[in-house]
mmCIF file of all heavy atoms in Angstrom:
data_model
loop_
_atom_site.group_PDB
_atom_site.id
_atom_site.type_symbol
_atom_site.label_atom_id
_atom_site.label_comp_id
_atom_site.label_asym_id
_atom_site.label_seq_id
_atom_site.Cartn_x
_atom_site.Cartn_y
_atom_site.Cartn_z
ATOM 1 N N ILE L 12 89.524 116.037 98.365
ATOM 2 C CA ILE L 12 88.362 115.323 97.822
ATOM 3 C C ILE L 12 87.815 116.044 96.593
ATOM 4 O O ILE L 12 87.624 117.259 96.609
ATOM 5 C CB ILE L 12 87.264 115.196 98.897
ATOM 6 C CG1 ILE L 12 87.790 114.438 100.115
ATOM 7 C CG2 ILE L 12 86.021 114.524 98.324
ATOM 8 C CD1 ILE L 12 86.920 114.545 101.350
ATOM 9 N N SER L 13 87.556 115.267 95.559
ATOM 10 C CA SER L 13 86.964 115.787 94.335
ATOM 11 C C SER L 13 86.099 114.698 93.715
ATOM 12 O O SER L 13 86.269 113.516 94.015
ATOM 13 C CB SER L 13 88.070 116.197 93.361
ATOM 14 O OG SER L 13 87.534 116.535 92.101
ATOM 15 N N THR L 14 85.197 115.088 92.842
ATOM 16 C CA THR L 14 84.315 114.106 92.211
ATOM 17 C C THR L 14 85.006 113.329 91.091
ATOM 18 O O THR L 14 84.472 112.333 90.629
ATOM 19 C CB THR L 14 83.052 114.779 91.642
ATOM 20 O OG1 THR L 14 83.450 115.811 90.745
ATOM 21 C CG2 THR L 14 82.189 115.343 92.755
ATOM 22 N N SER L 15 86.190 113.757 90.676
ATOM 23 C CA SER L 15 86.879 113.027 89.609
ATOM 24 C C SER L 15 88.206 112.416 90.061
ATOM 25 O O SER L 15 88.562 111.322 89.632
ATOM 26 C CB SER L 15 87.118 113.934 88.400
ATOM 27 O OG SER L 15 87.933 115.017 88.760
ATOM 28 N N MET L 16 88.945 113.105 90.934
ATOM 29 C CA MET L 16 90.262 112.632 91.364
ATOM 30 C C MET L 16 90.496 113.123 92.790
ATOM 31 O O MET L 16 90.471 114.327 93.043
ATOM 32 C CB MET L 16 91.328 113.222 90.430
ATOM 33 C CG MET L 16 92.654 112.580 90.491
ATOM 34 S SD MET L 16 92.759 111.019 89.598
ATOM 35 C CE MET L 16 92.363 111.483 87.924
ATOM 36 N N THR L 17 90.697 112.220 93.710
ATOM 37 C CA THR L 17 90.923 112.568 95.115
ATOM 38 C C THR L 17 92.360 112.236 95.495
ATOM 39 O O THR L 17 92.780 111.089 95.366
ATOM 40 C CB THR L 17 89.932 111.813 96.027
ATOM 41 O OG1 THR L 17 88.606 112.243 95.712
ATOM 42 C CG2 THR L 17 90.215 112.062 97.494
ATOM 43 N N GLY L 18 93.082 113.250 95.935
ATOM 44 C CA GLY L 18 94.444 113.039 96.417
ATOM 45 C C GLY L 18 94.420 112.506 97.832
ATOM 46 O O GLY L 18 93.593 112.926 98.653
ATOM 47 N N VAL L 19 95.311 111.560 98.122
ATOM 48 C CA VAL L 19 95.367 110.920 99.439
ATOM 49 C C VAL L 19 96.823 110.837 99.875
ATOM 50 O O VAL L 19 97.696 110.450 99.084
ATOM 51 C CB VAL L 19 94.779 109.486 99.383
ATOM 52 C CG1 VAL L 19 94.826 108.825 100.744
ATOM 53 C CG2 VAL L 19 93.369 109.500 98.833
ATOM 54 N N SER L 20 97.095 111.198 101.116
ATOM 55 C CA SER L 20 98.467 111.087 101.626
ATOM 56 C C SER L 20 98.438 110.759 103.122
ATOM 57 O O SER L 20 97.455 111.032 103.810
ATOM 58 C CB SER L 20 99.237 112.390 101.395
ATOM 59 O OG SER L 20 98.606 113.464 102.064
ATOM 60 N N ILE L 21 99.530 110.175 103.576
ATOM 61 C CA ILE L 21 99.687 109.893 105.008
ATOM 62 C C ILE L 21 101.046 110.407 105.444
ATOM 63 O O ILE L 21 102.074 110.095 104.836
ATOM 64 C CB ILE L 21 99.560 108.385 105.317
ATOM 65 C CG1 ILE L 21 98.175 107.874 104.918
ATOM 66 C CG2 ILE L 21 99.823 108.123 106.812
ATOM 67 C CD1 ILE L 21 98.001 106.373 105.071
ATOM 68 N N LEU L 22 101.021 111.209 106.498
ATOM 69 C CA LEU L 22 102.245 111.672 107.136
ATOM 70 C C LEU L 22 102.361 110.962 108.476
ATOM 71 O O LEU L 22 101.357 110.725 109.146
ATOM 72 C CB LEU L 22 102.218 113.188 107.352
ATOM 73 C CG LEU L 22 102.171 114.063 106.100
ATOM 74 C CD1 LEU L 22 102.095 115.536 106.486
ATOM 75 C CD2 LEU L 22 103.364 113.809 105.206
ATOM 76 N N GLU L 23 103.585 110.627 108.836
ATOM 77 C CA GLU L 23 103.827 109.923 110.098
ATOM 78 C C GLU L 23 104.809 110.731 110.933
ATOM 79 O O GLU L 23 105.809 111.235 110.421
ATOM 80 C CB GLU L 23 104.401 108.533 109.805
ATOM 81 C CG GLU L 23 104.637 107.698 111.047
ATOM 82 C CD GLU L 23 105.109 106.305 110.691
ATOM 83 O OE1 GLU L 23 106.326 106.149 110.445
ATOM 84 O OE2 GLU L 23 104.264 105.399 110.629
ATOM 85 N N GLN L 24 104.495 110.813 112.221
ATOM 86 C CA GLN L 24 105.327 111.570 113.151
ATOM 87 C C GLN L 24 105.682 110.681 114.335
ATOM 88 O O GLN L 24 104.793 110.102 114.958
ATOM 89 C CB GLN L 24 104.544 112.809 113.597
ATOM 90 C CG GLN L 24 105.343 113.904 114.165
ATOM 91 C CD GLN L 24 104.481 115.141 114.394
ATOM 92 O OE1 GLN L 24 103.286 115.050 114.694
ATOM 93 N NE2 GLN L 24 105.084 116.301 114.268
ATOM 94 N N GLU L 25 106.973 110.577 114.613
ATOM 95 C CA GLU L 25 107.444 109.737 115.736
ATOM 96 C C GLU L 25 107.123 110.378 117.082
ATOM 97 O O GLU L 25 106.772 109.708 118.025
ATOM 98 C CB GLU L 25 108.948 109.493 115.616
ATOM 99 C CG GLU L 25 109.345 108.708 114.387
ATOM 100 C CD GLU L 25 109.146 107.213 114.521
ATOM 101 O OE1 GLU L 25 109.210 106.702 115.637
ATOM 102 O OE2 GLU L 25 108.912 106.581 113.482
ATOM 103 N N ASP L 26 107.287 111.691 117.160
ATOM 104 C CA ASP L 26 106.875 112.415 118.362
ATOM 105 C C ASP L 26 106.488 113.829 117.928
ATOM 106 O O ASP L 26 106.825 114.273 116.840
ATOM 107 C CB ASP L 26 107.930 112.343 119.473
ATOM 108 C CG ASP L 26 108.954 113.450 119.505
ATOM 109 O OD1 ASP L 26 108.598 114.595 119.219
ATOM 110 O OD2 ASP L 26 110.116 113.180 119.847
ATOM 111 N N ASN L 27 105.753 114.529 118.756
ATOM 112 C CA ASN L 27 105.166 115.814 118.355
ATOM 113 C C ASN L 27 106.173 116.879 117.935
ATOM 114 O O ASN L 27 105.815 117.815 117.246
ATOM 115 C CB ASN L 27 104.271 116.363 119.467
ATOM 116 C CG ASN L 27 102.941 115.646 119.523
ATOM 117 O OD1 ASN L 27 102.528 115.011 118.559
ATOM 118 N ND2 ASN L 27 102.276 115.729 120.650
ATOM 119 N N ASN L 28 107.413 116.774 118.371
ATOM 120 C CA ASN L 28 108.404 117.788 118.038
ATOM 121 C C ASN L 28 109.159 117.470 116.755
ATOM 122 O O ASN L 28 109.935 118.286 116.274
ATOM 123 C CB ASN L 28 109.405 117.953 119.192
ATOM 124 C CG ASN L 28 108.706 118.436 120.454
ATOM 125 O OD1 ASN L 28 107.776 119.222 120.387
ATOM 126 N ND2 ASN L 28 109.149 117.943 121.595
ATOM 127 N N GLN L 29 108.962 116.313 116.213
ATOM 128 C CA GLN L 29 109.690 115.878 115.030
ATOM 129 C C GLN L 29 108.906 116.212 113.759
ATOM 130 O O GLN L 29 107.680 116.169 113.752
ATOM 131 C CB GLN L 29 109.920 114.366 115.128
ATOM 132 C CG GLN L 29 110.923 113.821 114.158
ATOM 133 C CD GLN L 29 111.134 112.333 114.417
ATOM 134 O OE1 GLN L 29 110.163 111.578 114.478
ATOM 135 N NE2 GLN L 29 112.370 111.933 114.566
ATOM 136 N N GLU L 30 109.628 116.528 112.690
ATOM 137 C CA GLU L 30 108.976 116.768 111.400
ATOM 138 C C GLU L 30 108.385 115.449 110.894
ATOM 139 O O GLU L 30 109.020 114.400 111.002
ATOM 140 C CB GLU L 30 109.978 117.316 110.380
ATOM 141 C CG GLU L 30 110.220 118.803 110.505
ATOM 142 C CD GLU L 30 108.968 119.627 110.206
ATOM 143 O OE1 GLU L 30 108.403 119.510 109.110
ATOM 144 O OE2 GLU L 30 108.557 120.387 111.101
ATOM 145 N N PRO L 31 107.193 115.503 110.340
ATOM 146 C CA PRO L 31 106.567 114.262 109.853
ATOM 147 C C PRO L 31 107.239 113.739 108.582
ATOM 148 O O PRO L 31 107.807 114.515 107.804
ATOM 149 C CB PRO L 31 105.130 114.682 109.571
ATOM 150 C CG PRO L 31 105.186 116.146 109.344
ATOM 151 C CD PRO L 31 106.318 116.663 110.174
ATOM 152 N N LYS L 32 107.147 112.433 108.398
ATOM 153 C CA LYS L 32 107.650 111.779 107.187
ATOM 154 C C LYS L 32 106.460 111.464 106.294
ATOM 155 O O LYS L 32 105.391 111.097 106.775
ATOM 156 C CB LYS L 32 108.363 110.468 107.532
ATOM 157 C CG LYS L 32 109.651 110.636 108.299
ATOM 158 C CD LYS L 32 110.313 109.293 108.541
ATOM 159 C CE LYS L 32 109.667 108.654 109.750
ATOM 160 N NZ LYS L 32 110.281 107.444 110.224
ATOM 161 N N LEU L 33 106.672 111.597 105.001
ATOM 162 C CA LEU L 33 105.663 111.193 104.030
ATOM 163 C C LEU L 33 105.804 109.686 103.846
ATOM 164 O O LEU L 33 106.840 109.210 103.385
ATOM 165 C CB LEU L 33 105.877 111.919 102.698
ATOM 166 C CG LEU L 33 104.945 111.534 101.553
ATOM 167 C CD1 LEU L 33 103.506 111.893 101.877
ATOM 168 C CD2 LEU L 33 105.397 112.226 100.265
ATOM 169 N N ILE L 34 104.776 108.929 104.245
ATOM 170 C CA ILE L 34 104.871 107.473 104.143
ATOM 171 C C ILE L 34 103.939 106.894 103.079
ATOM 172 O O ILE L 34 104.052 105.717 102.734
ATOM 173 C CB ILE L 34 104.641 106.768 105.499
ATOM 174 C CG1 ILE L 34 103.239 107.043 106.039
ATOM 175 C CG2 ILE L 34 105.712 107.177 106.512
ATOM 176 C CD1 ILE L 34 102.840 106.129 107.198
ATOM 177 N N TYR L 35 103.025 107.734 102.573
ATOM 178 C CA TYR L 35 102.088 107.232 101.571
ATOM 179 C C TYR L 35 101.530 108.405 100.775
ATOM 180 O O TYR L 35 101.197 109.444 101.344
ATOM 181 C CB TYR L 35 100.936 106.483 102.249
ATOM 182 C CG TYR L 35 99.918 105.897 101.296
ATOM 183 C CD1 TYR L 35 100.117 104.656 100.717
ATOM 184 C CD2 TYR L 35 98.771 106.610 100.964
ATOM 185 C CE1 TYR L 35 99.185 104.123 99.836
ATOM 186 C CE2 TYR L 35 97.835 106.074 100.092
ATOM 187 C CZ TYR L 35 98.048 104.838 99.525
ATOM 188 O OH TYR L 35 97.132 104.319 98.655
ATOM 189 N N ALA L 36 101.435 108.228 99.470
ATOM 190 C CA ALA L 36 100.802 109.231 98.605
ATOM 191 C C ALA L 36 100.206 108.505 97.407
ATOM 192 O O ALA L 36 100.853 107.639 96.815
ATOM 193 C CB ALA L 36 101.820 110.276 98.167
ATOM 194 N N ASN L 37 98.974 108.859 97.091
ATOM 195 C CA ASN L 37 98.292 108.187 95.994
ATOM 196 C C ASN L 37 97.082 109.029 95.596
ATOM 197 O O ASN L 37 96.875 110.116 96.137
ATOM 198 C CB ASN L 37 97.855 106.784 96.414
ATOM 199 C CG ASN L 37 97.687 105.827 95.260
ATOM 200 O OD1 ASN L 37 97.573 106.221 94.105
ATOM 201 N ND2 ASN L 37 97.637 104.538 95.569
ATOM 202 N N TYR L 38 96.289 108.519 94.694
ATOM 203 C CA TYR L 38 95.058 109.190 94.313
ATOM 204 C C TYR L 38 93.979 108.144 94.050
ATOM 205 O O TYR L 38 94.268 106.979 93.798
ATOM 206 C CB TYR L 38 95.250 110.094 93.088
ATOM 207 C CG TYR L 38 95.609 109.344 91.830
ATOM 208 C CD1 TYR L 38 94.630 108.940 90.931
ATOM 209 C CD2 TYR L 38 96.932 109.039 91.532
ATOM 210 C CE1 TYR L 38 94.953 108.247 89.776
ATOM 211 C CE2 TYR L 38 97.270 108.352 90.383
ATOM 212 C CZ TYR L 38 96.277 107.966 89.503
ATOM 213 O OH TYR L 38 96.605 107.273 88.363
ATOM 214 N N ILE L 39 92.741 108.601 94.137
ATOM 215 C CA ILE L 39 91.585 107.751 93.848
ATOM 216 C C ILE L 39 90.907 108.336 92.610
ATOM 217 O O ILE L 39 90.411 109.464 92.643
ATOM 218 C CB ILE L 39 90.594 107.730 95.029
ATOM 219 C CG1 ILE L 39 91.300 107.385 96.340
ATOM 220 C CG2 ILE L 39 89.452 106.752 94.748
ATOM 221 C CD1 ILE L 39 90.463 107.653 97.585
ATOM 222 N N ASP L 40 90.885 107.574 91.536
ATOM 223 C CA ASP L 40 90.287 108.030 90.289
ATOM 224 C C ASP L 40 88.818 107.601 90.255
ATOM 225 O O ASP L 40 88.508 106.418 90.170
ATOM 226 C CB ASP L 40 91.045 107.447 89.099
ATOM 227 C CG ASP L 40 90.544 107.951 87.760
ATOM 228 O OD1 ASP L 40 89.535 108.683 87.722
ATOM 229 O OD2 ASP L 40 91.167 107.606 86.735
ATOM 230 N N THR L 41 87.932 108.570 90.351
ATOM 231 C CA THR L 41 86.496 108.282 90.273
ATOM 232 C C THR L 41 85.882 108.908 89.017
ATOM 233 O O THR L 41 84.660 108.993 88.903
ATOM 234 C CB THR L 41 85.763 108.814 91.527
ATOM 235 O OG1 THR L 41 86.080 110.199 91.687
ATOM 236 C CG2 THR L 41 86.173 108.051 92.774
ATOM 237 N N SER L 42 86.725 109.319 88.090
ATOM 238 C CA SER L 42 86.253 110.035 86.896
ATOM 239 C C SER L 42 85.398 109.167 85.975
ATOM 240 O O SER L 42 84.575 109.692 85.218
ATOM 241 C CB SER L 42 87.439 110.602 86.112
ATOM 242 O OG SER L 42 88.275 109.557 85.651
ATOM 243 N N LYS L 43 85.566 107.872 86.036
ATOM 244 C CA LYS L 43 84.817 106.984 85.141
ATOM 245 C C LYS L 43 83.450 106.582 85.712
ATOM 246 O O LYS L 43 82.636 105.980 85.013
ATOM 247 C CB LYS L 43 85.643 105.749 84.821
ATOM 248 C CG LYS L 43 86.881 106.073 83.989
ATOM 249 C CD LYS L 43 87.757 104.862 83.801
ATOM 250 C CE LYS L 43 88.968 105.148 82.966
ATOM 251 N NZ LYS L 43 89.908 106.084 83.521
ATOM 252 N N GLU L 44 83.207 106.923 86.962
ATOM 253 C CA GLU L 44 81.923 106.585 87.594
ATOM 254 C C GLU L 44 80.878 107.619 87.201
ATOM 255 O O GLU L 44 81.173 108.810 87.128
ATOM 256 C CB GLU L 44 82.069 106.528 89.112
ATOM 257 C CG GLU L 44 83.167 105.596 89.604
ATOM 258 C CD GLU L 44 83.097 104.189 89.055
ATOM 259 O OE1 GLU L 44 81.978 103.659 88.915
ATOM 260 O OE2 GLU L 44 84.148 103.619 88.757
ATOM 261 N N ASP L 45 79.647 107.164 86.963
ATOM 262 C CA ASP L 45 78.605 108.039 86.439
ATOM 263 C C ASP L 45 77.878 108.887 87.480
ATOM 264 O O ASP L 45 77.374 109.956 87.171
ATOM 265 C CB ASP L 45 77.556 107.216 85.680
ATOM 266 C CG ASP L 45 78.118 106.624 84.400
ATOM 267 O OD1 ASP L 45 79.027 107.239 83.806
ATOM 268 O OD2 ASP L 45 77.648 105.549 84.001
ATOM 269 N N ASN L 46 77.810 108.408 88.714
ATOM 270 C CA ASN L 46 77.033 109.152 89.710
ATOM 271 C C ASN L 46 77.766 109.172 91.052
ATOM 272 O O ASN L 46 78.738 108.443 91.251
ATOM 273 C CB ASN L 46 75.623 108.557 89.849
ATOM 274 C CG ASN L 46 75.670 107.115 90.292
ATOM 275 O OD1 ASN L 46 76.107 106.820 91.404
ATOM 276 N ND2 ASN L 46 75.224 106.199 89.433
ATOM 277 N N LEU L 47 77.272 110.004 91.951
ATOM 278 C CA LEU L 47 77.951 110.197 93.240
ATOM 279 C C LEU L 47 77.992 108.930 94.085
ATOM 280 O O LEU L 47 78.966 108.700 94.809
ATOM 281 C CB LEU L 47 77.286 111.332 94.026
ATOM 282 C CG LEU L 47 77.429 112.743 93.444
ATOM 283 C CD1 LEU L 47 76.800 113.765 94.389
ATOM 284 C CD2 LEU L 47 78.876 113.089 93.168
ATOM 285 N N ILE L 48 76.972 108.111 94.005
ATOM 286 C CA ILE L 48 76.949 106.878 94.799
ATOM 287 C C ILE L 48 78.056 105.931 94.339
ATOM 288 O O ILE L 48 78.804 105.385 95.157
ATOM 289 C CB ILE L 48 75.560 106.188 94.740
ATOM 290 C CG1 ILE L 48 74.468 107.117 95.289
ATOM 291 C CG2 ILE L 48 75.591 104.858 95.481
ATOM 292 C CD1 ILE L 48 74.652 107.560 96.725
ATOM 293 N N ASP L 49 78.187 105.738 93.029
ATOM 294 C CA ASP L 49 79.260 104.874 92.512
ATOM 295 C C ASP L 49 80.635 105.437 92.849
ATOM 296 O O ASP L 49 81.558 104.690 93.174
ATOM 297 C CB ASP L 49 79.109 104.675 91.002
ATOM 298 C CG ASP L 49 77.901 103.812 90.643
ATOM 299 O OD1 ASP L 49 77.442 103.042 91.514
ATOM 300 O OD2 ASP L 49 77.424 103.924 89.496
ATOM 301 N N LYS L 50 80.776 106.753 92.776
ATOM 302 C CA LYS L 50 82.043 107.398 93.141
ATOM 303 C C LYS L 50 82.346 107.151 94.627
ATOM 304 O O LYS L 50 83.474 106.846 95.004
ATOM 305 C CB LYS L 50 81.980 108.899 92.859
ATOM 306 C CG LYS L 50 81.943 109.247 91.379
ATOM 307 C CD LYS L 50 81.706 110.742 91.177
ATOM 308 C CE LYS L 50 81.526 111.094 89.714
ATOM 309 N NZ LYS L 50 82.716 110.994 88.902
ATOM 310 N N ALA L 51 81.312 107.268 95.456
ATOM 311 C CA ALA L 51 81.474 107.061 96.897
ATOM 312 C C ALA L 51 81.870 105.618 97.216
ATOM 313 O O ALA L 51 82.670 105.371 98.126
ATOM 314 C CB ALA L 51 80.182 107.431 97.626
ATOM 315 N N ILE L 52 81.344 104.667 96.459
ATOM 316 C CA ILE L 52 81.703 103.253 96.665
ATOM 317 C C ILE L 52 83.194 103.039 96.371
ATOM 318 O O ILE L 52 83.883 102.326 97.106
ATOM 319 C CB ILE L 52 80.804 102.330 95.817
ATOM 320 C CG1 ILE L 52 79.377 102.344 96.378
ATOM 321 C CG2 ILE L 52 81.355 100.901 95.771
ATOM 322 C CD1 ILE L 52 78.334 101.708 95.470
ATOM 323 N N VAL L 53 83.701 103.683 95.328
ATOM 324 C CA VAL L 53 85.134 103.585 95.007
ATOM 325 C C VAL L 53 85.968 104.160 96.159
ATOM 326 O O VAL L 53 86.950 103.552 96.596
ATOM 327 C CB VAL L 53 85.455 104.305 93.670
ATOM 328 C CG1 VAL L 53 86.953 104.384 93.442
ATOM 329 C CG2 VAL L 53 84.765 103.609 92.501
ATOM 330 N N ILE L 54 85.554 105.321 96.678
ATOM 331 C CA ILE L 54 86.251 105.950 97.814
ATOM 332 C C ILE L 54 86.205 105.020 99.032
ATOM 333 O O ILE L 54 87.214 104.791 99.701
ATOM 334 C CB ILE L 54 85.620 107.315 98.162
ATOM 335 C CG1 ILE L 54 85.765 108.299 97.014
ATOM 336 C CG2 ILE L 54 86.171 107.869 99.472
ATOM 337 C CD1 ILE L 54 87.047 109.049 96.908
#
Side-chain angles (χ1 to χ4, degrees):
I12 301 166
S13 172
T14 56
S15 61
M16 195 78 60
T17 296
V19 180
S20 60
I21 299 175
L22 296 178
E23 182 176 82
Q24 199 172 32
E25 296 280 332
D26 91 37
N27 283 340
N28 298 324
Q29 194 176 52
E30 278 296 302
K32 292 183 278 187
L33 176 64
I34 62 167
Y35 181 85
N37 205 342
Y38 65 94
I39 308 167
D40 184 355
T41 54
S42 62
K43 293 174 179 64
E44 306 308 321
D45 292 330
N46 60 65
L47 293 184
I48 300 300
D49 290 338
K50 291 173 186 290
I52 290 168
V53 172
I54 297 276

